[in-house]
Structure formats: structure tokens, C-alpha cells
Amino acid sequence: MFRAHWWAAVAVVARQLGDLETAEDAVQEACAAALAQWPADGGPESPRGWLIGTARHKALDRVRREQRRADKEADAVREEAPPPPAGGWAAGTDDELALIFTCCHPALDPAARVGLTLRAVCGLTTAQIAAAFLVPEPTMAQRLVRAKRKIRQAGIAFKVPGPADLPARLGAVLRVVYLVFTEGHLASRGDALVRGDLCDQAIRLARALAALLPGEPEVTGLLALLLLTDARREARLTPDGEPVLLADQDRGRWDRALICEGEALVEQALRRNRPGPYQIQAAIAACHSGAVTAADTDWREIALLYGELIRYEPTPMVEANRAVAVAMSEGPAAGLVILDTVGADARLARWPQLHIARAELLRRLGRRAEAITAYQTAIALEPPAPERAYLARRMREW
């Protein structure tokens, strides 16, 4: 129940109070109160409403006790939510999306604003965020602490931005939604390879973002990318939860409604002739969804699209994905050359997917000892348990 309602409660209370840390503390106190009361009294009809109401009252108590934010007290005690900013947010706008825009303040370093938002609003752990940025967990923890300290010491206004402020924050907001989905689509650790709750959360946010900014092609492209990728969810796992390679998936289990919607959105975005990284990734996803069989996949086109994507995101992760596409279109040796080149980047040493990709290409080339070493390196990085089991089985089968 807390997993379902914690972050929504934080979003609502923070939006009402204008203070993220106070909202987090208040919701935590409300959860502690629930643990004490609900087992004896029974859970309320609306757990989310109970948490929000209790947290709001506890936040007000804290404000009074510390004699701070006196100008917020009147708003804090109101039972109804405050009106949205004029001209920018429609009634009923997703509170979580509003809070994401609020956290993605341009005064913060780009990586810090994305990381802080993922932690404070979207509920990802510090370890998950570190995995997304390919940095050690202590490094990410320090970044988050520094970001919160800067907000506090610099007196950065914690308020929902108006329409004029949205463009400066949009890039970070798109990244936040994308990384939430990425962690759901392929978890960085844990007992499950796919986190459907995070996928659903990201798609909901992307839909809310598309409703807020319907004329932004990158917003449309992001929504298309998430829909086309999530359409394969039911076919991606065995009954035991282990991964099923794209080439082996039962395409009859792909969600055709999501694919049709996603492909229409890709076309809509590209017609605006303002290309960007999410539109290109959506076009790559459309190449997969449009292939009737795995053999029909146009890997050459996908490799070219990854080459175009590198212009916008010149990262080793994009280059590694291009290497896989090149391997499929030109042979495993060609792909392995690229992988080994980008593998020199120290950041990728902690990315299991690089070592898995190398192992598969080495396997295709018949280089057994090197492939097993690559599989073992990937397992040592502790990806989700189902993926570790799959990799161990791949080694035994050879």
C-alpha cells in the first residue's frame, strides 16, 4: 500500500506546501502513524487520502513548531488543493508531473536535478539511479545530498513553474520519465527483471506530459517510444521470469493496440521536422514492431538510426547499442570491434549489458573461453536474479 501511494502523497503535499523535504518527512511520519493505527482499526477506505491528510497536518505541526514558512500555513491547512498556476496547468493536472517540473530546477546541475527528481518524486533508490548514470552508489548519494543542500542554502524557490519556465526544464523532465521506464523495462537489480509498476508510472507521466505539451515532437516521440517498447512486455519473460531474446519472442503476444498507437505517434512527431533523440529511438522501436518476424527486421536501418542518435547523445551506451545492430547486419565480428572499442570507457565496466552483448557475439564467433569470461563478468555485477539464472544457463548449454 505504501509502495502504491507514498510518492503520490509526497507529490500532493509538496505541491501544496512548496517544500519537498518537509513533505517527505511528513509523509514518512504519516506512514509510521498508519503502521500503528491500521492493524488495530483497519485500513481507511482511501489510503492515499488518509496519508495526504495526515501528512498535511503533521507538516503544519512542524511548521508551527519550527516557526518557519509562516506564509505557507494558510495554504497548508486548506482541505482542498490550491488552484493551479494561471495559464500553465489545467485543473486535474498530474501532481507527480507538476512536482517533476518543480524539482528539475535549472539552477541545479543537469545530472543532479534528474537524480534528485528520480529519488524524491519517482521513488527510485539511490542504487537504481547510480546504475542509470553508470556511477558508484556513494557517488550518486553525494550528488543528491549536494543538490538538496544547494536548494536549501541558495533559497531556490520550490514552486510549480509557469508556462514560460517549462522549456528550460523539459529536457530534464523527459530524461526523468525515460529513466523511470528504463528501470521498469529492464531492472538494474532485484528479484524481477521487469517492473511493470514503473513502466505504467512512466507511461502515465508521458501521457500527462503529451497532454500538457501536445506540440512538442520530443514529448510525442518519448510517448511513442515507451508504448512501442512496452508493447512487448508480455512476451519478454518465460513463466519462470527469465528473459526471452527479441528474436525468440512470440510476436503474437505483442500488444497490437499499443503498437498502432505508438507508430502513429512516431509519424506525427517526425512530420514536425524537429528531430531529437526520443523520436529517433521511437523510430528504432518502430523498426522492431513493424517486422512480422525476427528475420524481417531491418538491422541496417536500425544501425543507421543509432548512428544518427549518436549525434544527439554521444554516449558509450548508444555506441554499444549500435554495435549490436551492426553485428546483426554485418556479422558478429564487426559488432565486436565496436563493442571492444567502447568497452575501454571505464563507465561501461559496471554495465552488465555490455558484457552480455560481448558474450553473445563471442559465442556466435565460437570463442568459448572468452564468452564464458564475459558471462561471468556480467553475473558478478549482480543484475536481477532472473537474468543471472539465464546467463548461468547459457554457459551450461554451451
Side-chain angles (χ1 to χ4, degrees), residues 160-240:
V160 179
D165 298 320
L166 299 186
R169 305 184 186 214
L170 181 59
V173 172
L174 290 169
R175 198 67 180 171
V176 166
V177 177
Y178 173 78
L179 290 177
V180 170
F181 181 84
T182 299
E183 179 63 27
H185 178 73
L186 186 61
S188 56
R189 59 190 62 206
D191 296 328
L193 188 62
V194 176
R195 288 277 307 277
D197 58 326
L198 291 180
C199 293
D200 294 340
Q201 178 187 17
I203 290 173
R204 173 179 58 76
L205 289 169
R207 289 192 184 281
L209 192 55
L212 179 68
L213 300 169
E216 287 289 340
E218 275 293 83
V219 172
T220 305
L222 176 62
L223 177 57
L225 169 63
L226 303 195
L227 295 177
L228 289 170
T229 305
D230 196 55
R232 305 195 296 266
R233 188 195 303 185
E234 295 301 319
R236 292 182 56 230
L237 301 177
T238 68
D240 295 331

